[in-house]
Amino acid sequence: MINKRIFFAHITVASLLLPWTVNARQPTAGGASANDTIGQHLVAEERASWDLAIKHDAVAYRALHAPDFFTLTGTGVVGKVPSEASAMDPDAHFDHCELAGFGVHFVAQDTALITYHVKANGLDHGKAFQVDNYASSLWMNRHGQWQNVFYQATPAPKS
């Protein structure tokens, strides 16, 4: 069985994407409009990573991650290879998945923290699941290419 915390961190359906906003915290040399453009690009990349995982497009999915990518779960730090393998599990399927409330927070000129809310349900190895998490991904611009270096999901409080 897959590690659900890793897998759910990387899955969504592109058709269910909701509007989002960019909250530039630290201007780059190009000013706030440059941060808005970069933020829009990074949110699109984050959304694409989920869609690629749902489609089990391992090559394109892995291309978004830095060589030192890792995930933090309730069981500890999970490296790039096991995290990506979990997201590609063919025995997990989503009936519904949505991402909402995107924020982009520039913590340095070439480093942005993407935050959002994930709600999903489906089947994992024949067992029903539901997810309601707040998520964050850290993206860094290395040698002119933005790559995801870190992901963490935190369960939302029960209503």
Side-chain angles (χ1 to χ4, degrees), residues 77-109:
V77 176
V78 179
K80 176 182 170 101
V81 173
S83 178
E84 291 173 340
S86 177
M88 292 296 119
D89 188 326
D91 291 320
H93 306 279
F94 282 73
D95 296 326
H96 174 80
C97 185
E98 67 181 68
L99 308 177
F102 275 89
V104 179
H105 314 273
F106 288 88
V107 296
Q109 183 172 341

Side-chain angles (χ1 to χ4, degrees), residues 8-28:
F8 298 136
H10 297 92
I11 310 301
T12 195
V13 177
S15 64
L16 298 172
L17 303 179
L18 300 175
W20 48 273
T21 60
V22 175
N23 300 314
R25 299 291 184 208
Q26 182 178 14
T28 62

Side-chain angles (χ1 to χ4, degrees), residues 3 6 68-80 82-83 150-151:
N3 182 327
I6 297 170
D68 55 344
F69 173 81
F70 68 101
T71 304
L72 183 60
T73 73
T75 60
V77 176
V78 179
K80 176 182 170 101
S83 178
F150 171 78
Y151 178 86

Side-chain angles (χ1 to χ4, degrees), residues 105-158:
H105 314 273
F106 288 88
V107 296
Q109 183 172 341
D110 289 335
T111 306
L113 182 67
I114 312 298
T115 57
Y116 52 100
H117 189 192
V118 179
K119 286 191 173 186
N121 66 303
L123 293 175
D124 178 12
H125 292 83
K127 291 186 175 185
F129 70 82
Q130 284 193 300
V131 173
D132 186 3
N133 289 336
Y134 291 103
S136 61
S137 284
L138 188 67
W139 289 75
M140 297 181 73
N141 185 339
R142 295 178 172 168
H143 311 290
Q145 181 180 357
W146 285 93
Q147 294 181 310
N148 190 340
V149 297
F150 171 78
Y151 178 86
Q152 180 178 6
T154 302
K158 303 280 186 221

